[in-house]
């Protein structure tokens, strides 16, 4: 009995496990079939990149908020407004610190 023909797939490893690599299936002359090949499936690396991009966007937003709050703090003479803006600045700085720590953690888990 003759073994069914198979074709090798050229693939580049990005450090992913063998589970992420396509599985070779026998062909019947028409070409190979990739088992579980989903073009919308994200690799672990792309998930990390998307998460980093999202965190960087949030950091940029917080930085703009902080710059605006600092400008308002310097421009106002109303003590009530200064007090409110100072409180908001403390929240923004806290959020920035948390986002930067989260980004550092993602970058260290390579």
């Amino acid at each position: 009995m003759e073994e069914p023909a198979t074709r090798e797939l050229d693939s580049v490893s990005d450090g992913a496990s063998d589970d992420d690599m396509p599985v070779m299936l026998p062909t019947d002359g028409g070409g190979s079939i990739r088992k579980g090949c989903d073009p919308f499936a994200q690799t672990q690396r792309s998930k990390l990149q998307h998460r980093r991009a999202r965190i960087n966007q949030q950091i940029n937003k917080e930085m703009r908020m902080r710059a605006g709050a600092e400008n308002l703090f310097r421009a106002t003479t109303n003590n009530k407004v200064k007090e409110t803006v100072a409180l908001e600045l403390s929240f923004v700085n806290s959020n920035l610190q948390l986002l930067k720590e989260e980004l550092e953690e993602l970058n260290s888990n390579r």
Side-chain angles (χ1 to χ4, degrees), residues 49-99:
Q49 287 174 332
H50 285 286
R51 184 71 185 132
R52 282 188 198 104
R54 184 81 168 143
I55 292 171
N56 280 319
Q57 286 175 342
Q58 290 174 317
I59 287 173
N60 290 336
K61 179 182 174 184
E62 294 289 333
M63 293 291 285
R64 290 190 307 270
M65 287 178 59
R66 182 170 77 175
E70 287 172 344
N71 288 341
L72 180 58
F73 186 83
R74 283 191 298 269
T76 190
T77 56
N78 184 327
N79 285 336
K80 181 69 174 168
V81 171
K82 275 195 177 209
E83 184 180 313
T84 305
V85 171
L87 181 63
E88 187 63 33
L89 273 170
S90 70
F91 282 120
V92 168
N93 286 330
S94 176
N95 286 341
L96 271 170
Q97 185 63 35
L98 291 172
L99 288 169

Side-chain angles (χ1 to χ4, degrees), residues 14-52:
D14 63 351
S17 69
D18 289 339
D19 295 334
D20 295 334
M21 302 306 286
V23 175
M24 294 302 300
L25 294 179
T27 64
D28 49 337
S32 65
I33 302 167
R34 289 185 184 185
K35 179 181 175 187
C37 182
D38 181 2
F40 297 107
Q42 291 185 322
T43 63
Q44 190 65 25
R45 179 178 173 162
S46 70
K47 286 179 185 177
L48 284 174
Q49 287 174 332
H50 285 286
R51 184 71 185 132
R52 282 188 198 104

